[in-house]
Each structure stands twice: as C-alpha cells, then as structure tokens.
Amino acid sequence: MNAAEEILDVVDEHDRVVGRLPRGEVYARGLRHRCVFVLARDAEDRVFVHRRTATKLVFPSLYDMFVGGVVGAGESYDDAALREAEEELGVRGLPRPTPRLKFLYEDGGGRGSWWSAVYEVRCAVPVEPQAEEVAWHAFLPEREVEARLGVWEWVPDGLAAYERLREYRRAGGAPRR
C-alpha cells in the first residue's frame, strides 16, 4: 500500500474521531488528523536531524529534527511514536518514547491542522534510516541544531513542535534524559 492509501482517523478540535479516510484524501481536503513527533537522541545526547526525501507527500526535501508521522486509524499516539521512530531510524527494540506535550498545529500553507504529540527517545544503537524517507542524516549537538534554525529550511510543523518543546522545558517540564 502506498502512503496516500493509508487510512487515518479524522478528528475534531477536541481530538475526537469523527471519521476515517485515506491519507491522500485527508491531505487533499485539509482535514484534521493526528501526528507524532519524536526527538531522538544518541548516547552522547546529540539530536537526530535529517533532510526529508523529495518524494515525501508533505514538506519534501526540508530538514527535520524529529522522526515521526501520521497516526494510523485506531492506533494510539504512543504506539505510533514507537512505530514511526523505529521505522524512520531503521532500528528495532527502542525504549518506548516518553510523551512530553500535545498541541493542535494549524498549518498556514493550506494543509489544514493536526493534533501533534511530541515525544523524546534515546537511541543508543546505530541507525539505518529508511532511504525512501531520509535523504541525509546526522546526530548533531543541540547547540548546532539551534545555530541552524535560521539557516536551513525546516519543516514548519517540526519547527513548531521544537519551539513548544523548548517552552515546555523552560516552564519546568521534564528535562532531557
């Protein structure tokens, strides 16, 4: 099955399921759905950063400091976070990602909105990212990620999630592991 055929839950402004449709239709109609964002760190506390492939349905060829994606129909955020992290990093046996926050992302580019659950996970094993998802990758110190925020073109929802995660930490949320 290609990505556009994957079935997603369509949700309302309170994150309640109101229907199910193929991803391609959800995207085309700008319908509200669910996504997960997982900030992956290696054993040296560096952040996994990657550039998306040019074939991605949303935000092709842009940089991202999160792995993740859509939550499938009937799937929990927690299960989607683990599935997406393992798929995109190309690993098995990750610990369950730790939930940090959730927010409703409103896309200014006409793509609609999506409930966004933000997680963190430690990946202490070598990664083999999916070639169809990841064009380039590296683990970067967070200060280097911060320095590139105004230089590289980042996915807007990932950038919004990163800003909210920084605010969460400043407000006393759980520190980095």
Side-chain angles (χ1 to χ4, degrees):
M1 168 174 41
N2 74 38
E5 295 171 344
E6 180 182 5
I7 303 298
L8 306 183
D9 286 331
V10 176
V11 297
D12 67 12
E13 67 275 7
H14 303 290
D15 198 18
R16 293 181 299 228
V17 176
V18 296
R20 287 187 171 165
L21 291 169
R23 183 197 302 211
E25 187 172 345
V26 169
Y27 285 5
R29 294 173 52 191
L31 300 174
R32 192 175 293 117
H33 55 286
R34 295 171 171 160
C35 290
V36 292
F37 296 79
V38 183
L39 191 79
R41 294 178 184 280
D42 68 4
E44 286 84 47
D45 207 35
R46 296 174 301 179
V47 176
F48 180 81
V49 175
H50 67 284
R51 187 170 51 82
R52 296 162 63 91
T53 60
T55 57
K56 294 291 285 181
L57 287 174
V58 177
F59 309 130
S61 300
L62 299 186
Y63 288 90
D64 201 346
M65 68 283 287
F66 290 96
V67 293
V70 297
V71 178
E75 186 177 32
S76 72
Y77 283 105
D78 290 352
D79 288 345
L82 179 59
R83 176 184 54 77
E84 287 284 351
E86 287 186 338
E87 282 177 7
E88 284 194 36
L89 294 171
V91 300
R92 291 286 169 243
L94 280 181
R96 267 211 170 297
T98 304
R100 296 298 186 211
L101 61 109
K102 189 170 114 178
F103 68 100
L104 180 62
Y105 177 76
E106 300 281 348
D107 179 63
R111 292 180 185 89
S113 64
W114 42 95
W115 279 101
S116 304
V118 180
Y119 293 78
E120 290 186 276
V121 71
R122 177 78 57 201
C123 180
V125 297
V127 299
E128 294 182 37
Q130 284 182 308
E132 56 276 0
E133 301 263 340
V134 176
W136 169 90
H137 73 280
F139 279 97
L140 302 177
E142 191 146 9
R143 70 184 175 283
E144 189 171 337
V145 174
E146 297 273 339
R148 295 178 188 273
L149 290 179
V151 178
W152 289 354
E153 191 174 3
W154 299 87
V155 296
D157 59 348
L159 196 53
Y162 188 73
E163 292 296 326
R164 282 177 171 80
L165 184 59
R166 289 193 319 187
E167 290 170 18
Y168 171 83
R169 288 184 188 137
R170 281 194 295 269
R176 290 185 311 204
R177 301 193 307 170

